[in-house]
Coordinates of all heavy atoms in Angstrom, one line a residue:
D1 N 30.5 -12.8 6.6 CA 31.5 -13.1 5.6 C 31.0 -13.0 4.2 O 31.6 -12.5 3.3 CB 32.1 -14.5 5.9 CG 32.9 -14.6 7.2 OD1 33.4 -13.5 7.7 OD2 33.0 -15.7 7.7
R2 N 29.8 -13.6 4.1 CA 29.2 -13.6 2.7 C 28.9 -12.1 2.2 O 29.2 -11.8 1.1 CB 27.9 -14.4 2.8 CG 27.3 -14.6 1.4 CD 26.1 -15.5 1.6 NE 25.5 -15.7 0.3 CZ 24.4 -16.3 0.1 NH1 23.7 -16.7 1.1 NH2 23.9 -16.4 -1.1
I3 N 28.4 -11.3 3.1 CA 28.1 -9.9 2.7 C 29.4 -9.2 2.4 O 29.5 -8.4 1.5 CB 27.3 -9.2 3.9 CG1 26.0 -9.9 4.0 CG2 27.2 -7.7 3.6 CD1 25.2 -9.4 5.2
G4 N 30.5 -9.4 3.2 CA 31.8 -8.8 3.0 C 32.4 -9.1 1.7 O 33.2 -8.4 1.1
S5 N 32.0 -10.3 1.1 CA 32.7 -10.7 -0.2 C 31.9 -10.2 -1.4 O 32.3 -10.5 -2.5 CB 32.8 -12.3 -0.2 OG 31.5 -12.8 -0.2
M6 N 30.8 -9.5 -1.2 CA 30.0 -9.0 -2.3 C 30.7 -7.8 -3.0 O 31.5 -7.1 -2.4 CB 28.6 -8.7 -1.9 CG 27.9 -9.8 -1.3 SD 26.2 -9.4 -0.8 CE 25.3 -10.1 -2.1
D7 N 30.4 -7.6 -4.3 CA 30.9 -6.5 -5.0 C 30.4 -5.2 -4.4 O 29.4 -5.1 -3.6 CB 30.4 -6.5 -6.5 CG 31.0 -7.7 -7.2 OD1 32.1 -8.2 -6.8 OD2 30.4 -8.1 -8.2
E8 N 31.0 -4.1 -4.8 CA 30.6 -2.7 -4.3 C 29.3 -2.4 -4.8 O 28.9 -2.8 -5.9 CB 31.7 -1.7 -4.7 CG 32.9 -1.8 -3.9 CD 33.9 -0.6 -4.3 OE1 33.3 0.5 -4.5 OE2 35.1 -0.8 -4.3
G9 N 28.6 -1.5 -4.1 CA 27.3 -1.0 -4.5 C 26.1 -1.7 -4.0 O 25.0 -1.2 -4.1
Y10 N 26.3 -2.9 -3.3 CA 25.2 -3.6 -2.7 C 24.8 -2.9 -1.4 O 25.7 -2.4 -0.7 CB 25.5 -5.1 -2.5 CG 25.4 -5.9 -3.7 CD1 26.5 -5.9 -4.6 CD2 24.3 -6.7 -4.0 CE1 26.4 -6.7 -5.8 CE2 24.2 -7.4 -5.1 CZ 25.2 -7.4 -6.0 OH 25.1 -8.2 -7.2
T11 N 23.5 -2.9 -1.1 CA 23.1 -2.3 0.1 C 22.4 -3.4 1.0 O 21.6 -4.2 0.6 CB 22.0 -1.2 -0.2 OG1 22.5 -0.3 -1.1 CG2 21.5 -0.6 1.1
V12 N 22.8 -3.4 2.3 CA 22.3 -4.3 3.2 C 21.2 -3.6 4.1 O 21.5 -2.5 4.6 CB 23.4 -4.9 4.2 CG1 22.8 -5.9 5.2 CG2 24.4 -5.6 3.3
V13 N 20.0 -4.1 4.1 CA 18.9 -3.5 4.9 C 18.8 -4.2 6.2 O 18.6 -5.4 6.3 CB 17.6 -3.6 4.1 CG1 16.5 -3.0 4.9 CG2 17.7 -3.0 2.7
V14 N 19.1 -3.5 7.3 CA 19.1 -4.1 8.6 C 18.1 -3.4 9.5 O 18.0 -2.2 9.5 CB 20.6 -3.9 9.3 CG1 20.6 -4.5 10.7 CG2 21.6 -4.5 8.4
D15 N 17.3 -4.3 10.2 CA 16.4 -3.8 11.2 C 16.7 -4.4 12.5 O 16.5 -5.5 12.8 CB 14.9 -4.2 10.8 CG 13.9 -3.6 11.7 OD1 14.2 -2.7 12.5 OD2 12.7 -4.1 11.7
G16 N 17.3 -3.5 13.4 CA 17.8 -4.1 14.7 C 19.0 -5.0 14.4 O 20.0 -4.6 13.8
S17 N 18.8 -6.3 14.8 CA 19.9 -7.3 14.5 C 19.5 -8.2 13.4 O 20.1 -9.2 13.1 CB 20.2 -8.0 15.8 OG 19.0 -8.7 16.2
T18 N 18.4 -7.9 12.7 CA 17.9 -8.7 11.6 C 18.2 -8.2 10.2 O 18.0 -7.0 10.0 CB 16.3 -8.9 11.7 OG1 16.0 -9.4 13.0 CG2 15.8 -9.8 10.6
I19 N 18.8 -9.0 9.4 CA 19.1 -8.5 8.0 C 17.8 -8.8 7.2 O 17.3 -9.9 7.0 CB 20.2 -9.3 7.4 CG1 21.5 -9.0 8.1 CG2 20.4 -9.0 5.9 CD1 22.7 -9.8 7.7
E20 N 17.2 -7.7 6.8 CA 15.9 -7.7 6.1 C 16.1 -8.1 4.6 O 15.2 -8.6 3.9 CB 15.1 -6.4 6.2 CG 14.6 -6.1 7.6 CD 13.5 -7.0 8.0 OE1 12.7 -7.4 7.1 OE2 13.3 -7.3 9.2
G21 N 17.3 -7.7 4.1 CA 17.5 -8.0 2.7 C 18.8 -7.4 2.2 O 19.4 -6.6 2.9
I22 N 19.2 -7.8 1.0 CA 20.4 -7.3 0.4 C 20.0 -6.8 -1.0 O 19.4 -7.6 -1.8 CB 21.5 -8.3 0.3 CG1 21.9 -8.8 1.7 CG2 22.7 -7.8 -0.4 CD1 22.8 -10.0 1.7
L23 N 20.2 -5.6 -1.3 CA 19.8 -5.0 -2.6 C 21.0 -4.8 -3.5 O 22.0 -4.3 -3.1 CB 19.1 -3.6 -2.4 CG 17.9 -3.6 -1.4 CD1 17.5 -2.2 -1.2 CD2 16.8 -4.4 -1.9
S24 N 20.8 -5.2 -4.8 CA 21.8 -4.9 -5.8 C 21.8 -3.5 -6.1 O 20.9 -2.7 -5.8 CB 21.6 -5.8 -7.0 OG 20.6 -5.2 -7.8
P25 N 22.8 -3.0 -6.8 CA 22.9 -1.6 -7.2 C 21.7 -1.1 -8.1 O 21.4 0.0 -8.2 CB 24.2 -1.4 -7.9 CG 25.1 -2.6 -7.4 CD 24.1 -3.7 -7.1
K26 N 21.1 -2.1 -8.7 CA 19.9 -1.8 -9.6 C 18.7 -1.4 -8.9 O 17.8 -0.8 -9.4 CB 19.6 -3.0 -10.5 CG 20.6 -3.4 -11.5 CD 20.0 -4.3 -12.5 CE 20.4 -5.7 -12.2 NZ 19.9 -6.7 -13.2
Y27 N 18.6 -1.7 -7.6 CA 17.4 -1.5 -6.8 C 17.6 -0.6 -5.6 O 18.7 -0.5 -5.1 CB 16.8 -2.8 -6.3 CG 16.5 -3.8 -7.4 CD1 17.4 -4.8 -7.8 CD2 15.3 -3.7 -8.1 CE1 17.1 -5.7 -8.8 CE2 15.0 -4.6 -9.2 CZ 15.9 -5.6 -9.5 OH 15.6 -6.4 -10.5
K28 N 16.6 0.1 -5.2 CA 16.7 0.8 -4.0 C 15.5 0.4 -3.1 O 14.5 -0.1 -3.5 CB 16.7 2.3 -4.2 CG 15.3 2.9 -4.6 CD 15.4 4.4 -4.7 CE 14.0 5.0 -4.7 NZ 13.9 6.4 -4.5
R29 N 15.7 0.6 -1.8 CA 14.6 0.3 -0.8 C 13.5 1.3 -0.9 O 13.7 2.5 -1.0 CB 15.2 0.3 0.6 CG 14.2 -0.2 1.6 CD 14.8 -0.3 3.0 NE 13.9 -1.0 3.8 CZ 14.0 -0.9 5.1 NH1 15.0 -0.2 5.7 NH2 13.2 -1.6 5.9
L30 N 12.3 0.8 -1.0 CA 11.1 1.6 -1.0 C 10.3 1.4 0.3 O 9.9 0.4 0.6 CB 10.2 1.2 -2.2 CG 8.9 1.9 -2.4 CD1 9.2 3.4 -2.8 CD2 8.1 1.3 -3.5
P31 N 10.2 2.5 1.1 CA 9.5 2.4 2.3 C 8.0 2.0 2.1 O 7.4 2.3 1.1 CB 9.6 3.8 2.9 CG 10.8 4.5 2.2 CD 10.8 3.8 0.9
N32 N 7.5 1.3 3.1 CA 6.1 0.8 3.0 C 5.1 2.0 2.7 O 4.2 1.8 1.9 CB 5.7 0.1 4.3 CG 6.4 -1.2 4.5 OD1 6.7 -1.9 3.5 ND2 6.6 -1.5 5.7
V33 N 5.3 3.1 3.4 CA 4.4 4.2 3.2 C 4.4 4.7 1.7 O 3.4 5.1 1.2 CB 4.6 5.4 4.2 CG1 5.9 6.0 3.9 CG2 3.5 6.4 4.2
D34 N 5.6 4.7 1.1 CA 5.7 5.1 -0.3 C 5.0 4.1 -1.2 O 4.4 4.5 -2.2 CB 7.2 5.3 -0.7 CG 7.8 6.5 0.0 OD1 7.1 7.4 0.6 OD2 9.0 6.6 0.0
A35 N 5.2 2.8 -1.0 CA 4.6 1.8 -1.8 C 3.1 1.9 -1.7 O 2.4 1.8 -2.7 CB 5.1 0.4 -1.4
A36 N 2.5 2.0 -0.5 CA 1.1 2.1 -0.3 C 0.6 3.4 -0.9 O -0.5 3.4 -1.6 CB 0.8 2.1 1.2
S37 N 1.2 4.5 -0.8 CA 0.8 5.8 -1.4 C 0.8 5.7 -2.9 O -0.2 6.2 -3.5 CB 1.7 6.9 -1.0 OG 1.6 7.2 0.4
F38 N 1.8 5.0 -3.5 CA 1.8 4.8 -4.9 C 0.5 4.1 -5.4 O -0.1 4.5 -6.4 CB 3.1 4.0 -5.3 CG 3.2 3.7 -6.8 CD1 3.7 4.7 -7.6 CD2 2.7 2.5 -7.3 CE1 3.9 4.4 -9.0 CE2 2.8 2.3 -8.7 CZ 3.4 3.2 -9.5
V39 N 0.1 3.1 -4.7 CA -1.1 2.3 -5.1 C -2.3 3.1 -4.9 O -3.2 3.2 -5.7 CB -1.1 0.9 -4.4 CG1 -2.4 0.2 -4.6 CG2 0.1 0.1 -4.8
F40 N -2.5 3.7 -3.7 CA -3.7 4.4 -3.3 C -3.9 5.6 -4.3 O -5.0 5.9 -4.6 CB -3.6 5.0 -1.9 CG -3.6 3.9 -0.8 CD1 -3.1 4.1 0.4 CD2 -4.2 2.6 -1.1 CE1 -3.1 3.1 1.4 CE2 -4.2 1.6 -0.1 CZ -3.7 1.9 1.1
D41 N -2.8 6.3 -4.7 CA -2.9 7.4 -5.6 C -3.4 7.1 -6.9 O -4.0 7.9 -7.7 CB -1.6 8.2 -5.7 CG -1.2 8.9 -4.4 OD1 -2.0 9.0 -3.5 OD2 0.0 9.3 -4.4
R42 N -3.3 5.8 -7.3 CA -3.7 5.4 -8.6 C -5.0 4.6 -8.7 O -5.6 4.3 -9.7 CB -2.6 4.5 -9.2 CG -1.5 5.3 -9.7 CD -0.1 4.7 -9.7 NE 0.9 5.5 -10.1 CZ 1.5 6.5 -9.4 NH1 1.1 6.6 -8.1 NH2 2.5 7.2 -9.8
L43 N -5.6 4.4 -7.5 CA -6.9 3.7 -7.4 C -8.0 4.8 -7.0 O -7.7 5.7 -6.3 CB -6.9 2.7 -6.3 CG -6.1 1.4 -6.6 CD1 -6.1 0.5 -5.4 CD2 -6.7 0.7 -7.8
D44 N -9.2 4.6 -7.5 CA -10.3 5.4 -7.1 C -10.8 4.8 -5.7 O -11.5 3.8 -5.7 CB -11.4 5.4 -8.1 CG -12.7 6.1 -7.7 OD1 -12.6 6.7 -6.6 OD2 -13.7 6.0 -8.4
M45 N -10.3 5.3 -4.6 CA -10.6 4.7 -3.3 C -12.0 4.8 -3.0 O -12.5 4.1 -2.1 CB -9.7 5.3 -2.2 CG -8.2 4.8 -2.4 SD -8.0 3.0 -2.5 CE -8.4 2.5 -0.8
S46 N -12.8 5.7 -3.6 CA -14.3 5.7 -3.4 C -14.9 4.4 -3.9 O -16.0 4.0 -3.5 CB -14.9 6.9 -4.0 OG -14.9 6.9 -5.4
A47 N -14.3 3.7 -4.8 CA -14.8 2.5 -5.4 C -14.1 1.2 -4.8 O -14.4 0.1 -5.2 CB -14.6 2.5 -6.9
H48 N -13.2 1.4 -3.8 CA -12.5 0.3 -3.2 C -12.5 0.5 -1.7 O -12.8 1.5 -1.2 CB -11.0 0.3 -3.7 CG -10.9 0.0 -5.1 ND1 -11.0 1.0 -6.1 CD2 -10.6 -1.1 -5.8 CE1 -10.8 0.5 -7.3 NE2 -10.5 -0.8 -7.1
L49 N -12.2 -0.6 -1.0 CA -12.0 -0.5 0.4 C -10.9 -1.4 0.8 O -10.5 -2.3 0.1 CB -13.3 -1.0 1.1 CG -13.9 -2.4 0.9 CD1 -13.3 -3.3 2.0 CD2 -15.4 -2.4 1.0
I50 N -10.3 -1.0 1.9 CA -9.1 -1.8 2.5 C -9.8 -2.9 3.3 O -10.4 -2.7 4.3 CB -8.2 -0.9 3.3 CG1 -7.6 0.2 2.5 CG2 -7.1 -1.7 4.0 CD1 -6.8 1.2 3.2
S51 N -9.6 -4.1 2.8 CA -10.2 -5.3 3.5 C -9.3 -5.9 4.5 O -9.7 -6.7 5.3 CB -10.8 -6.3 2.5 OG -9.7 -6.7 1.6
R52 N -8.0 -5.6 4.3 CA -7.0 -6.2 5.3 C -5.8 -5.3 5.3 O -5.3 -4.8 4.3 CB -6.6 -7.6 4.9 CG -5.5 -8.2 5.8 CD -5.1 -9.6 5.4 NE -4.3 -9.6 4.2 CZ -3.1 -10.2 4.2 NH1 -2.6 -10.8 5.2 NH2 -2.4 -10.2 3.0
F53 N -5.3 -5.0 6.5 CA -4.1 -4.3 6.7 C -3.4 -4.9 7.9 O -3.9 -5.1 8.9 CB -4.3 -2.8 7.0 CG -3.0 -2.1 7.3 CD1 -2.3 -1.6 6.2 CD2 -2.6 -1.8 8.6 CE1 -1.1 -1.0 6.5 CE2 -1.4 -1.2 8.8 CZ -0.6 -0.7 7.8
R54 N -2.1 -5.3 7.6 CA -1.3 -5.9 8.7 C 0.1 -5.4 8.6 O 0.7 -5.3 7.6 CB -1.3 -7.4 8.4 CG -0.6 -8.2 9.5 CD -0.8 -9.7 9.3 NE -0.1 -10.4 10.3 CZ -0.2 -11.7 10.5 NH1 -0.9 -12.4 9.6 NH2 0.5 -12.3 11.4
M55 N 0.6 -5.0 9.8 CA 1.9 -4.5 9.9 C 2.6 -5.1 11.0 O 2.1 -5.1 12.2 CB 1.9 -3.0 10.1 CG 3.2 -2.3 10.0 SD 3.8 -2.2 8.3 CE 4.6 -0.7 8.4
E56 N 3.7 -5.8 10.8 CA 4.5 -6.4 11.8 C 6.0 -6.0 11.6 O 6.6 -6.4 10.6 CB 4.4 -7.9 11.8 CG 3.1 -8.5 12.1 CD 3.0 -10.0 12.1 OE1 4.1 -10.6 11.9 OE2 1.9 -10.5 12.2
E57 N 6.5 -5.2 12.5 CA 7.8 -4.6 12.3 C 7.9 -4.0 10.9 O 7.2 -3.0 10.7 CB 8.9 -5.7 12.6 CG 8.9 -6.2 14.0 CD 9.9 -7.2 14.3 OE1 10.8 -7.4 13.5 OE2 9.8 -7.9 15.3
T58 N 8.8 -4.5 10.1 CA 8.9 -3.8 8.7 C 8.1 -4.5 7.7 O 8.1 -4.1 6.5 CB 10.4 -3.8 8.3 OG1 10.9 -5.1 8.2 CG2 11.2 -3.0 9.3
R59 N 7.3 -5.5 8.0 CA 6.5 -6.3 7.1 C 5.1 -5.7 7.0 O 4.5 -5.4 8.0 CB 6.4 -7.7 7.5 CG 7.8 -8.4 7.7 CD 8.0 -9.5 6.7 NE 9.2 -10.3 7.0 CZ 10.4 -10.0 6.6 NH1 10.6 -8.9 5.9 NH2 11.4 -10.8 6.8
M60 N 4.6 -5.5 5.7 CA 3.3 -4.9 5.5 C 2.5 -5.8 4.6 O 3.1 -6.4 3.6 CB 3.5 -3.5 4.9 CG 2.2 -2.9 4.6 SD 2.4 -1.3 3.7 CE 3.0 -1.8 2.1
A61 N 1.2 -5.9 4.8 CA 0.3 -6.6 3.9 C -1.0 -5.8 3.8 O -1.5 -5.5 4.9 CB 0.1 -8.0 4.3
V62 N -1.4 -5.4 2.6 CA -2.6 -4.7 2.4 C -3.4 -5.3 1.3 O -2.9 -5.6 0.3 CB -2.4 -3.2 2.0 CG1 -3.7 -2.4 1.9 CG2 -1.4 -2.5 3.0
D63 N -4.7 -5.6 1.6 CA -5.6 -6.1 0.5 C -6.6 -5.0 0.3 O -7.3 -4.5 1.2 CB -6.3 -7.4 1.0 CG -5.4 -8.6 1.0 OD1 -4.4 -8.5 0.3 OD2 -5.8 -9.5 1.7
I64 N -6.8 -4.6 -1.0 CA -7.7 -3.6 -1.4 C -8.7 -4.3 -2.3 O -8.3 -4.8 -3.3 CB -7.0 -2.4 -2.1 CG1 -5.9 -1.9 -1.2 CG2 -8.0 -1.3 -2.5 CD1 -4.8 -1.1 -1.9
T65 N -10.0 -4.2 -1.9 CA -11.0 -4.9 -2.8 C -12.0 -3.9 -3.3 O -12.2 -2.8 -2.8 CB -11.8 -5.9 -1.9 OG1 -12.4 -5.3 -0.8 CG2 -11.0 -7.1 -1.5
S66 N -12.5 -4.2 -4.5 CA -13.5 -3.4 -5.2 C -14.8 -3.4 -4.5 O -15.2 -4.5 -4.0 CB -13.6 -3.8 -6.6 OG -14.6 -3.0 -7.3
R67 N -15.5 -2.3 -4.4 CA -16.9 -2.3 -3.9 C -17.8 -2.8 -5.0 O -19.0 -3.2 -4.6 CB -17.3 -0.9 -3.5 CG -16.5 -0.3 -2.3 CD -16.9 1.1 -2.0 NE -16.0 1.7 -1.0 CZ -16.2 1.7 0.3 NH1 -17.3 1.0 0.8 NH2 -15.4 2.3 1.1
R68 N -17.4 -2.9 -6.2 CA -18.3 -3.3 -7.3 C -18.3 -4.8 -7.3 O -17.3 -5.5 -6.9 CB -17.7 -2.8 -8.6 CG -17.7 -1.3 -8.7 CD -17.1 -0.8 -10.0 NE -16.8 -1.9 -11.0 CZ -15.8 -1.9 -11.8 NH1 -14.9 -0.9 -11.8 NH2 -15.6 -2.8 -12.7
N69 N -19.3 -5.4 -7.9 CA -19.4 -6.8 -8.1 C -19.8 -7.2 -9.5 O -20.2 -8.3 -9.7 CB -20.2 -7.5 -7.0 CG -21.7 -7.1 -7.0 OD1 -22.1 -6.3 -7.9 ND2 -22.5 -7.5 -6.1
D70 N -19.7 -6.2 -10.4 CA -20.0 -6.5 -11.8 C -18.8 -7.1 -12.4 O -17.7 -6.7 -12.3 CB -20.4 -5.2 -12.5 CG -19.4 -4.1 -12.4 OD1 -18.7 -4.0 -11.4 OD2 -19.3 -3.3 -13.3
I71 N -19.1 -8.2 -13.1 CA -18.0 -9.0 -13.8 C -18.4 -9.3 -15.2 O -19.6 -9.2 -15.6 CB -17.7 -10.3 -13.0 CG1 -18.9 -11.2 -12.9 CG2 -17.1 -10.0 -11.7 CD1 -18.6 -12.5 -12.3
L72 N -17.5 -9.6 -16.0 CA -17.8 -9.9 -17.4 C -18.5 -11.2 -17.5 O -18.4 -12.1 -16.7 CB -16.4 -10.1 -18.2 CG -15.6 -8.8 -18.2 CD1 -14.2 -9.2 -18.8 CD2 -16.2 -7.7 -19.0
P73 N -19.4 -11.4 -18.6 CA -20.1 -12.6 -18.7 C -19.2 -13.9 -18.8 O -19.6 -14.9 -18.3 CB -20.9 -12.4 -20.1 CG -20.9 -10.9 -20.2 CD -19.7 -10.4 -19.6
E74 N -18.0 -13.7 -19.4 CA -17.1 -14.8 -19.5 C -16.6 -15.3 -18.1 O -16.5 -16.4 -17.8 CB -15.9 -14.5 -20.3 CG -16.2 -14.2 -21.8 CD -16.6 -12.7 -22.0 OE1 -16.5 -11.9 -21.1 OE2 -17.1 -12.4 -23.1
Q75 N -16.5 -14.3 -17.2 CA -16.1 -14.6 -15.8 C -17.2 -15.2 -15.1 O -17.1 -16.1 -14.3 CB -15.6 -13.3 -15.1 CG -14.3 -12.7 -15.7 CD -14.1 -11.3 -15.2 OE1 -15.0 -10.5 -15.1 NE2 -12.8 -11.0 -14.9
K76 N -18.4 -14.7 -15.3 CA -19.6 -15.2 -14.6 C -19.8 -16.6 -14.9 O -20.3 -17.4 -14.1 CB -20.8 -14.3 -15.0 CG -22.0 -14.5 -14.0 CD -23.1 -13.5 -14.4 CE -23.9 -13.2 -13.2 NZ -24.8 -12.1 -13.3
A77 N -19.6 -17.0 -16.2 CA -19.8 -18.4 -16.6 C -18.9 -19.4 -15.8 O -19.2 -20.6 -15.7 CB -19.5 -18.5 -18.1
L78 N -17.7 -18.9 -15.3 CA -16.8 -19.7 -14.6 C -17.1 -19.9 -13.1 O -16.5 -20.7 -12.4 CB -15.4 -19.2 -14.7 CG -14.8 -19.1 -16.1 CD1 -13.5 -18.4 -16.1 CD2 -14.6 -20.5 -16.7
L79 N -18.1 -19.1 -12.6 CA -18.4 -19.1 -11.2 C -19.2 -20.3 -10.8 O -20.0 -20.8 -11.6 CB -19.2 -17.8 -10.8 CG -18.4 -16.5 -10.8 CD1 -19.4 -15.4 -10.5 CD2 -17.3 -16.6 -9.8
Q80 N -19.0 -20.8 -9.6 CA -19.8 -21.8 -9.0 C -20.5 -21.3 -7.8 O -20.0 -20.3 -7.2 CB -19.0 -23.1 -8.7 CG -18.4 -23.7 -10.0 CD -17.5 -24.9 -9.7 OE1 -17.5 -25.3 -8.5 NE2 -16.8 -25.4 -10.7
V81 N -21.5 -22.0 -7.3 CA -22.2 -21.5 -6.1 C -21.2 -21.4 -4.9 O -20.4 -22.4 -4.7 CB -23.3 -22.5 -5.7 CG1 -23.9 -22.2 -4.3 CG2 -24.4 -22.5 -6.8
G82 N -21.2 -20.3 -4.2 CA -20.3 -20.1 -3.1 C -19.0 -19.4 -3.5 O -18.2 -19.0 -2.6
D83 N -18.7 -19.2 -4.8 CA -17.5 -18.5 -5.2 C -17.6 -17.0 -4.8 O -18.7 -16.4 -5.1 CB -17.2 -18.6 -6.7 CG -16.7 -20.0 -7.1 OD1 -16.3 -20.7 -6.2 OD2 -16.6 -20.2 -8.3
P84 N -16.6 -16.4 -4.3 CA -16.6 -14.9 -4.0 C -16.5 -14.2 -5.4 O -15.8 -14.7 -6.3 CB -15.4 -14.7 -3.2 CG -14.4 -15.8 -3.5 CD -15.3 -17.0 -3.9
I85 N -17.1 -13.0 -5.5 CA -17.0 -12.3 -6.7 C -16.3 -10.9 -6.5 O -16.3 -10.1 -7.4 CB -18.4 -12.1 -7.4 CG1 -19.4 -11.4 -6.4 CG2 -18.9 -13.4 -7.9 CD1 -20.7 -11.0 -7.1
R86 N -15.7 -10.8 -5.4 CA -14.9 -9.5 -5.1 C -13.6 -9.7 -5.8 O -13.0 -10.7 -5.8 CB -14.8 -9.3 -3.7 CG -16.0 -8.8 -3.0 CD -15.7 -7.5 -2.4 NE -16.9 -6.7 -2.2 CZ -17.3 -6.1 -1.1 NH1 -16.5 -6.3 0.0 NH2 -18.3 -5.4 -1.0
F87 N -13.0 -8.6 -6.3 CA -11.7 -8.6 -6.8 C -11.0 -7.4 -6.3 O -11.6 -6.4 -5.8 CB -11.8 -8.6 -8.4 CG -12.6 -7.5 -9.0 CD1 -12.1 -6.3 -9.3 CD2 -14.0 -7.7 -9.2 CE1 -12.9 -5.3 -9.9 CE2 -14.8 -6.7 -9.7 CZ -14.3 -5.5 -10.0
G88 N -9.6 -7.4 -6.4 CA -8.9 -6.3 -5.9 C -7.4 -6.5 -6.1 O -6.9 -7.2 -7.0
V89 N -6.6 -5.8 -5.2 CA -5.2 -5.8 -5.3 C -4.6 -6.2 -3.9 O -5.1 -5.8 -2.9 CB -4.7 -4.3 -5.6 CG1 -3.2 -4.2 -5.6 CG2 -5.3 -3.9 -6.9
S90 N -3.5 -6.9 -3.9 CA -2.8 -7.2 -2.7 C -1.4 -6.6 -2.8 O -0.7 -6.7 -3.9 CB -2.6 -8.8 -2.5 OG -3.9 -9.3 -2.2
L91 N -1.0 -5.9 -1.8 CA 0.3 -5.3 -1.7 C 1.0 -5.8 -0.5 O 0.5 -5.7 0.6 CB 0.1 -3.8 -1.6 CG 1.4 -2.9 -1.5 CD1 2.2 -3.0 -2.7 CD2 1.0 -1.4 -1.2
F92 N 2.2 -6.4 -0.7 CA 2.9 -6.9 0.5 C 4.4 -6.9 0.2 O 4.8 -6.9 -1.0 CB 2.4 -8.3 0.9 CG 2.6 -9.4 -0.2 CD1 3.7 -10.1 -0.3 CD2 1.6 -9.5 -1.2 CE1 3.8 -11.1 -1.3 CE2 1.7 -10.5 -2.2 CZ 2.8 -11.2 -2.3
N93 N 5.2 -7.0 1.3 CA 6.6 -7.1 1.1 C 7.1 -8.3 1.9 O 6.4 -8.8 2.7 CB 7.3 -5.8 1.5 CG 7.2 -5.5 3.0 OD1 6.4 -6.1 3.7 ND2 7.9 -4.5 3.4

């Protein structure tokens, strides 16, 4: 009922019998592979590694961490013993 009462132009994303989302006319659905490709194409993957990849049905989570561990002196001053010094990007939907 709620979906039927919405204005025109809205898109309902359905996976089987599950409603994954409702998109306004301003947005379009971006497939996981396109989102991941967009990020990978802009990173120097020789300087990064995929530290986590998880895919469950239409849900995706990717963590990309830098192989470098050089940080700015200001950042180093904030570290305490046991703090991780890896940095990177998380991509998830």
